[in-house]
Amino acid sequence: MTGGSDRVPGHGIRRGEGPGRKVIAVMRQQFGDYQSEIYFNGLFGVVPKYPMAFDGWEKAAQAALPPSVWSYVAGGAGDEHTQRANVRAFERWALVPRMLVGAADRDLSVGLFGLTLPSPLLMSPVGVLGLCAQDGHGDLAAARAAALTGVPMIASTLSNDPLEDVAKELGDTPGFFQLYTPTDRELAASLVRRAEAAGFKGIVVTLDTWVTGWRPRDLSTSNFPQLRGHCLANYTSDPVFLAALEKAPQEDPGAVVSLFSRIFGNPLTWDDLSWLRSLTTLPLLLKGICHPEDARRARDAGVDGIYCSNHGGRQANGGLAALDALPGVVEAADGLPVLFDSGVRGGADIVKAVALGATAVGVGRPYAYGLALSGTEGAVHVLRSLLAEADLTMAVDGYPALADLPANIRPVH
């Protein structure tokens, strides 16, 4: 990733005149200062343009998105029990406040693969981001939100814009590339090489989506966006994929979809890990790990990080809430970074996940809804709101640093 980024207030925060231009002010602020900004604007009759919490983002996004896109983003597998369980799992853990500790300044920074990130918050990969923004370029809008907030983006293989274009919009904010491993190993290697060349800082291999889960919302409208030709830009810009087509993609879109459908799903096994590891010197993470034994095997196989997730309940119903799996995965990872997502709806959820051992915490639907509200601006608002709540939770509860969290979380019986 190249180019500069002028970050919005509350993020440690630079404001300048544009990418690569002179920075005219440097301010050190806390993420929670976003609320002061909102209250101060209210003195002049300015109220927020967008809702301030998840329920509002969700309702506004539903009104803004076409029904087919809405059902794809909001829906889950089966009767969506696991999706709901992911959210409810956070209610079973409580933070214990500590007083008189002087938490006027909080440090939310984390170290990850040699990077120092301003907070543990990440943007999880979402395969229909392009369709969430009104202009059809939601992947670029999300990358711009990453540049403005310092929140790293994990860019999906299923994108409406080529990964190189997404990387350029990230500015100084690091990004990671999520790989849906195709059955064509040459294509997989090509995608990874492109991600390396574009400047992504790691490869996140999703394990639980080699076949699509049973999703009644999508089935009721017979809607699968990629089979309609959406979000395939990383394929139609790849030389290996193009070489397998008889005509240019624009001349025969049906052939593009047909080839994609034949090569997309690769049911990986442990025997494939050495090959995946050989593709890159970048940090390699496995996404979808919820069992301690799988975490141990992945660690022993030489991966660099574990990503504890059940795909937000989108892939399999009836399973364990991802948060319930997290402590066991962290213990089995034995020091490897553990990323986490699934069910995160607010800043307090981020704090709880870190308290239970997550190195970094991803959100998916919240920022996708932000894109639906108003592209980059909407996503920035959502990310800043999440960070502000996380920061203020730590301030009020008396946690100056993330390291204070594990000793101050309790199960609720």
Side-chain angles (χ1 to χ4, degrees):
M1 278 81 55
T2 59
S5 63
D6 303 305
R7 294 186 179 172
V8 295
H11 290 79
I13 288 178
R14 299 196 301 267
R15 184 182 294 279
E17 301 169 290
R21 300 179 186 177
K22 182 179 179 181
V23 174
I24 59 176
V26 177
M27 301 176 63
R28 176 61 184 171
Q29 295 178 297
Q30 302 282 171
F31 294 114
D33 291 341
Y34 189 33
Q35 79 166 1
S36 300
E37 182 182 321
I38 292 170
Y39 287 140
F40 183 79
N41 287 338
L43 300 177
F44 300 92
V46 179
V47 297
K49 293 170 60 177
Y50 310 113
M52 297 304 306
F54 180 82
D55 286 350
W57 304 330
E58 186 175 48
K59 290 176 182 177
Q62 184 175 11
L65 291 172
S68 61
V69 178
W70 163 254
S71 68
Y72 192 90
V73 176
D79 69 357
E80 301 179 353
H81 168 83
T82 297
Q83 185 170 321
R84 295 189 298 273
N86 281 335
V87 176
R88 290 196 300 266
F90 286 92
E91 299 174 0
R92 295 195 292 272
W93 292 93
L95 297 162
V96 182
R98 305 300 301 271
M99 297 295 107
L100 299 171
V101 296
D105 294 310
R106 281 82 57 201
D107 180 7
L108 273 68
S109 65
V110 298
L112 185 65
F113 307 126
L115 303 168
T116 300
L117 307 180
S119 84
L121 183 60
L122 304 170
M123 283 188 274
S124 299
V126 178
V128 289
L129 282 187
L131 303 182
C132 290
Q134 298 302 316
D135 66 357
H137 295 284
D139 303 282
L140 300 182
R144 294 180 189 121
L148 288 167
T149 61
V151 176
M153 175 186 182
I154 306 176
S156 175
T157 298
L158 300 176
S159 171
N160 251 9
D161 288 280
L163 62 91
E164 291 84 359
D165 294 349
V166 175
K168 289 176 183 176
E169 297 295 338
L170 288 168
D172 295 331
T173 299
F176 299 83
F177 180 71
Q178 175 266 339
L179 178 69
Y180 283 126
T181 311
T183 55
D184 184 331
R185 285 192 167 195
E186 188 179 352
L187 175 59
S190 180
L191 289 168
V192 170
R193 286 194 299 268
R194 289 172 59 195
E196 285 184 328
F200 287 98
K201 303 302 183 183
I203 304 297
V204 177
V205 179
T206 295
L207 303 174
D208 61 3
T209 315
W210 61 271
V211 65
T212 305
W214 182 257
R215 303 174 187 170
R217 290 205 212 192
D218 296 329
L219 290 164
S220 66
T221 58
S222 300
N223 179 52
F224 191 81
Q226 287 73 31
L227 295 183
R228 297 175 183 236
H230 299 298
C231 307
L232 300 179
N234 280 327
Y235 298 91
T236 57
S237 60
D238 193 277
V240 174
F241 188 88
L242 291 174
L245 296 172
E246 294 183 1
K247 297 180 181 179
Q250 61 271 22
E251 295 178 11
D252 192 352
V256 171
V257 171
S258 178
L259 178 58
F260 163 78
S261 65
R262 293 197 305 271
I263 67 173
F264 173 74
N266 190 338
L268 297 168
T269 71
W270 292 107
D271 291 337
D272 293 310
L273 274 190
S274 60
W275 163 68
L276 285 168
R277 176 71 280 177
S278 73
L279 295 180
T280 183
T281 58
L282 290 175
L284 182 69
L285 297 89
L286 298 185
K287 182 175 184 289
I289 300 290
C290 289
H291 194 291
E293 182 58 26
D294 290 344
R296 280 189 285 270
R297 291 193 68 175
R299 178 200 65 203
D300 293 344
V303 304
D304 301 287
I306 305 295
Y307 198 141
C308 180
S309 167
N310 62 19
H311 218 103
R314 287 184 51 75
Q315 275 295 88
N317 200 32
L320 186 69
L323 190 72
D324 292 338
L326 178 62
V329 168
V330 169
E331 181 179 7
D334 195 25
L336 282 186
V338 175
L339 280 59
F340 170 84
D341 72 20
S342 299
V344 177
R345 298 292 183 262
D349 295 341
I350 297 170
V351 175
K352 289 181 181 181
V354 173
L356 292 173
T359 305
V361 180
V363 294
R365 291 181 179 92
Y367 85 90
Y369 294 158
L371 291 174
L373 299 182
S374 186
T376 295
E377 184 178 283
V380 166
H381 168 72
V382 167
L383 295 173
R384 294 190 72 192
S385 297
L386 293 169
L387 287 168
E389 185 186 2
D391 181 37
L392 291 169
T393 298
M394 293 183 62
V396 173
D397 281 353
Y399 314 132
L402 298 178
D404 300 315
L405 297 176
N408 292 296
I409 190 166
R410 303 287 188 274
V412 177
H413 300 292

